[in-house]
Amino acid sequence: MTPEFLLTALITVAIYYLLTLALNLQYGYSGMINFGVHGFFGLGAYLSALFALPPGSGYLFNLALPVPLSIATAVLVTASIGTVLAAPALIVDVRSRSPYLLPIITLTFAETLLVLVSTEISLAGGFSGLVGIPRPRPLAELGRLEFLTTTAILILALATVATLIVAAVVRSPFGRVLLALRADEIEIRALGYNALRYQLTAFAMGSGIIGLAGALWAHYLGNIQPTAFSVRETILVFVAMFLGGRGNLLGTVVGSVLVFGIIEQFTRVLPFIPGSFFVPGFRQIVLGALLMGILAIGSRGLFPERLGIRSLATATRGPAND
Amino acid sequence: MLTDIAIFGLVNGAAIALAALGMSLIFGVKRFLNFAYGDFLTLGAYFYLSAAAWNWLPALGAVVVSSLAVAAFGIVIERAVFRRLDRRAAITMTVASMGLSFVIQSGVGLIWGQQVKFISIPTVPLQFGPATELQTTIGLSVGLISIGMFWLLWFTKIGTGMRAISSNADLAEVTGINTMVLGILTWGLGGALAGFGGILLGAFSQVTPFLGFVTLFPVVAAVLLGKANNPFTAAAFGLVIGLASEFAAFYIGSAYKPAMAIAALAILLGIKSQVTVMSRV
């Protein structure tokens, strides 16, 4: 349990917590299913990395932007792309909308992006990925431990800010409309609200947060490969969200810590755990079974949504909003 | 050259069509997209890997046993997990099946190891033009199974019941069709088809924990494009998609195959939803 181990674990949990937070915003509160979390994650990572790399590295972009600027740009682009992707799915009237439309569109995007990045070497390094991703200038010369500590503090600060923003949004009148839309869109539209505007904004925000997580991840790691952004990540985030409790911010934190902190780090704590847990793939089985189990027993997670919100969501529209 | 690609595409398409048939069956009766269906195929191939090694069982018997094993697995999982999710949104079941996919892929890797394995199936000593014996066998067996399924769905009471449930579940239940038993049977049948398809696919390419998963996208595309109460429309789409993927892969690059299937699906799904753009309520 060296400080280094703890810090890296903390950073990993914080990054994936951002993903879970975003998914909770998109799905937990607003009821929009995003199967392409890994795509936005990778997009944010690759974009920020590419923007920050110096010219002559042989890839796309290479603008040598200062890191904070590249991160910000990546976030904006990811949010925009999220909007563009969700728009066709949300424009279709809810009465004739296939519930699989948005998930499929987001999944398509994610998989296509991944394939593109993996095969076109001139684009973004292909299968072996990008290396030498620059750190923000103040952190460039730091030793390992100082870098880890500073990064951890920075990322935690950003995560806190993101949480506060999401909490503010969700508790505001804007957030109430989102919840109401999840429950019964037709009724809310009858009241005069423009459902598209609310849902697209929420989706864009979520996508931006996912992009932020990706960008931070890229600059922290220094090198990224396409294999780090697969469907597996999306499934993990779903597990974390359901475990902690969808539609509940505290649940998001707890769920993330549990899934990404404890279960994912299983193998690293290995020497301390007796028994045969040390088999590759055992973690996946546990997580997969956990997901199925949580859904099967109808649990709303460790921290279910507050009663009023949940009954609002399911009462009018029935289990379709479950 | 072109005929080679065409044959490859047809065989590939046949396997996808078979999987689409099975998945569409489950989708029609239970209304849910089984994200783990591709992994049922993988499971079939791995079961066969073990079963074929049993000296007292002829290869054909191993094929049957493996397919039935997957059917049994499907039924058990349905009883344990998915039955409880019946009352909830269909998408919840899909998310749960994502978890199942995880479990199967890792489980298979754990039990049988992650290395690439190879299986061989008994082949018909026929050659159809430039197609190899294996390819002919695959084509023939898929064809035979399709005919069998057609007979089942249109000429037996069980099959008609399944189609009735696919059309209108409530009405079917009201008319006395035993939806519970048929639901179990559907899973069993879907599982068996998947297992068999997996064995064919494994014999055609290689056996890895991801064998079936890569077919998931084209199969999902086929199922969503087809009509719910006629699994053969899904099978037809599966064949077309499989064929088209091979041709497109030849021109664009094979890595894009799954992405393209699902891109086509996204476009077509959007068009297919009666596009009533948001208007005044």
Side-chain angles (χ1 to χ4, degrees), chain B residues 61-105:
Chain B
V63 172
V64 171
V65 165
S66 314
S67 306
L68 288 178
V70 179
F73 179 76
I75 293 178
V76 165
I77 289 289
E78 196 269 340
R79 295 275 94 194
V81 178
F82 294 108
R83 179 171 55 108
R84 299 165 206 273
L85 298 174
D86 252 343
R87 299 278 151 243
R88 298 176 63 169
I91 204 82
T92 313
M93 289 204 267
T94 305
V95 175
S97 63
M98 283 173 113
L100 181 62
S101 172
F102 239 29
V103 172
I104 297 182
Q105 281 177 16

Side-chain angles (χ1 to χ4, degrees), chain B residues 152-174:
Chain B
L152 178 79
L153 284 173
W154 264 265
F155 291 96
T156 61
K157 220 164 137 201
I158 291 178
T160 315
M162 285 181 183
R163 282 187 300 125
I165 301 177
S166 308
S167 272
N168 188 328
D170 293 323
L171 193 56
E173 202 154 346
V174 160

